[in-house]
Amino acid sequence: MTIENEVSRRRFLEIGSATLATAGATGLLSKAAVAQSQESIAKGEHDQSASNPGPQNPTLANENKDSVTPPVTDHGNVQPFKYPFSVSHKRIEEGGWARQVTVQDLPIATTLAGVNMRLTAGGIRELHWHSAAEWAFMISGSARITAITPAGNSFVSDVKEGDLWNFPSGIPHSIQGLGPDGCEFLLVFDDGAFSEYDTTLLTDWVAHTPREVLSKNFGVPAAAFDKSPKQELYIFQGEVPGPLAEDRQAAEGTIGASPIRFDYHLRDQTPNKRTKSGEVRIVDSKNFPAATTIAAALVLVRPGGLREMHWHPNADEWMYFLKGKGRMTVFAASARARTMDFDAGDVGYVQKTFAHYIENTGDTNLEFLEIFRSSYYQDISLNNWLTHVPPELVQAHLRIDKATLDAIPKEEDVVVPA
Ligand code: MN
Ligand code: MN
């Protein structure tokens, strides 16, 4: 079946209810104008208007069916809110690789930037720090992370799939893959323009410091640094470290361990909400005090489920799709709505206060992270709003009967049907 045929069959099934649903909700166009416009779109999908005799990229078209043939309720110019890590340049070194999505790649993503990184068993992301805070989610495998506090207290810990870490601005740290096969993880920085390739690296600083200064600073002969690298290492292959307890003891010395933990076991947390269609785990500075500038939610949507219609009053949302397939529609006011399709490994972005929802379009679980530059997580559910204002007011807007309004869930379920 060609893409066009498949899409038009789907549209044929959807068109009736979609037309009715938007006709009442669109403020700027009259009901008749909306119905006429949507009828015209629907007709166009079924005749030669939708044909595409020119060049096509069938792989991309298949992955982006809602761009090739948008839902009839989509309209107007909404900035793209998707960027796949698959099209990012991958910087491969011996010991692992990194690729990033910043505001240069995804222009609306001004508040946060992300990096996807792989480290082999023993592979080291070298000792470094940077101006942005670093929030991380372990995608697979395990790693040993290190940091120190400004008071000199050390932090050494092992993290596995579903764990987080957060290193505040300027706190020096390192990451090393453990056995048997290292790790892969997501890093999120609280600055959309942050580049992972522009961090302060130990080897780079030493390479750009005169030997006499190194000798004086460390109180050792200058010749001790003869073998030190002449340029940065960034990622390099090392030996898999020994037992955690030994590394901790060696790092602590006489000063002692950090009183605050820079890691957190998100996957082990009891869900904040669980329905038959999915669940959500929320993590911010309330339960993970080290994360003072980044809040997040780990959301699971089962097949047929919907991350309900909602928005975030406090911050833009940076999304990373971990598993499955979904599509997100962003409603940007003034009759502007756009739907984009997402696969595992894609980045999404929704501006502060923009209305949106995410459907699971696959037959497996959809899982994604919602990440915010904020000390706290916050959202507003459309269901929650409409059931907590005078009922007559809502009925007058949507022209629905009392029974329909009564059936709407009275609180936020996050993932519906509940
Ligand atoms: Mn870092
Ligand atoms: Mn959201």
Side-chain angles (χ1 to χ4, degrees):
M1 190 178 266
T2 67
I3 295 155
E4 283 80 6
N5 284 344
E6 200 279 330
V7 170
S8 67
R9 185 185 58 82
R10 179 164 63 82
R11 294 294 165 244
F12 182 74
L13 298 171
E14 285 180 353
I15 184 80
S17 57
T19 304
L20 288 175
T22 43
T26 310
L28 293 185
L29 300 171
S30 75
K31 250 172 119 170
V34 169
Q36 195 178 22
S37 149
Q38 292 183 342
E39 195 184 321
S40 153
I41 294 167
K43 264 190 195 163
E45 288 181 356
H46 290 273
D47 62 25
Q48 73 280 14
S49 309
S51 63
N52 189 174
Q56 291 197 70
N57 182 328
T59 308
L60 273 181
N62 260 317
E63 284 176 5
N64 297 280
K65 291 183 170 131
D66 289 296
S67 294
V68 175
T69 309
V72 292
T73 43
D74 278 12
H75 181 262
N77 188 26
V78 178
Q79 260 190 295
F81 46 85
K82 164 184 169 174
Y83 195 91
F85 266 112
S86 305
V87 298
S88 290
H89 165 73
K90 193 186 270 175
R91 175 176 173 179
I92 302 175
E93 307 275 348
E94 193 189 356
W97 52 256
R99 52 186 177 180
Q100 66 181 8
V101 175
T102 74
V103 71
Q104 287 194 322
D105 309 291
L106 182 59
I108 60 166
T110 55
T111 64
L112 297 159
V115 167
N116 180 204
M117 190 178 287
R118 165 97 170 114
L119 294 173
T120 59
I124 298 171
R125 167 64 175 93
E126 80 158 278
L127 289 158
H128 71 286
W129 73 92
H130 32 72
S131 58
E134 171 180 318
W135 185 99
F137 180 87
M138 284 295 289
I139 296 168
S140 87
S142 57
R144 180 160 302 170
I145 55 175
T146 77
I148 64 157
T149 67
N153 303 100
S154 75
F155 175 81
V156 184
S157 191
D158 288 351
V159 285
K160 61 179 192 311
E161 191 280 327
D163 289 347
L164 314 177
W165 69 77
N166 188 97
F167 298 127
S169 171
I171 294 294
H173 54 277
S174 68
I175 311 154
Q176 185 171 21
L178 297 175
D181 187 32
C183 57
E184 186 177 334
F185 49 88
L186 175 76
L187 303 174
V188 181
F189 301 93
D190 63 355
D191 172 4
F194 177 83
S195 172
E196 164 68 11
Y197 310 132
D198 192 19
T199 64
T200 306
L201 306 178
L202 172 64
T203 55
D204 196 22
W205 194 13
V206 166
H208 292 90
T209 304
R211 295 287 145 121
E212 314 80 68
V213 173
L214 294 174
S215 170
K216 203 177 285 181
N217 185 73
F218 294 118
V220 297
F225 297 97
D226 284 351
K227 290 180 185 161
S228 295
K230 300 285 186 288
Q231 57 188 28
E232 67 175 45
L233 292 177
Y234 183 59
I235 287 174
F236 64 102
Q237 187 61 51
E239 298 292 326
V240 176
L244 177 61
E246 285 177 21
D247 264 6
R248 275 186 173 157
Q249 199 181 4
E252 281 170 27
T254 55
I255 301 181
S258 168
I260 66 153
R261 292 196 67 94
F262 293 105
D263 62 350
Y264 184 79
H265 307 298
L266 179 58
R267 180 80 72 191
D268 299 341
Q269 178 181 311
T270 305
N272 298 69
K273 201 79 178 187
R274 182 181 266 154
T275 68
K276 71 176 184 195
S277 300
E279 55 194 41
V280 60
R281 290 170 171 81
I282 293 167
V283 57
D284 61 19
S285 59
K286 293 186 194 79
N287 50 350
F288 181 25
T292 53
T293 60
I294 294 182
L298 174 62
V299 180
L300 169 75
V301 182
R302 298 188 197 288
L306 172 77
R307 168 73 176 92
E308 66 174 290
M309 297 169 83
H310 71 284
W311 65 97
H312 305 273
N314 62 328
D316 290 6
E317 174 176 357
W318 197 97
M319 305 170 78
Y320 178 76
F321 288 80
L322 287 158
K323 289 174 192 159
K325 282 179 171 302
R327 63 174 182 179
M328 175 160 72
T329 303
V330 173
F331 177 62
S334 306
R336 292 176 297 146
R338 181 162 183 192
T339 304
M340 297 188 84
D341 303 280
F342 291 86
D343 282 277
D346 291 347
V347 172
Y349 198 88
V350 184
Q351 283 146 296
K352 186 165 87 166
T353 75
F354 279 27
H356 56 286
Y357 55 86
I358 300 127
E359 299 167 86
N360 183 338
T361 51
D363 48 17
T364 58
N365 286 346
L366 169 69
E367 192 174 51
F368 55 86
L369 286 162
E370 305 178 355
I371 300 162
F372 307 87
R373 188 171 72 186
S374 173
S375 64
Y376 60 95
Y377 176 89
Q378 191 172 70
D379 66 2
I380 293 180
S381 143
L382 178 62
N383 287 350
N384 193 248
W385 180 39
L386 296 185
T387 54
H388 293 86
V389 285
E392 295 75 14
L393 188 62
V394 178
Q395 288 178 255
H397 283 76
L398 299 184
R399 295 171 197 166
I400 56 175
D401 59 25
K402 186 71 167 48
T404 302
L405 184 57
D406 287 346
I408 297 176
K410 304 290 180 290
E411 59 178 76
E412 177 174 17
D413 288 309
V414 184
V415 187
V416 292

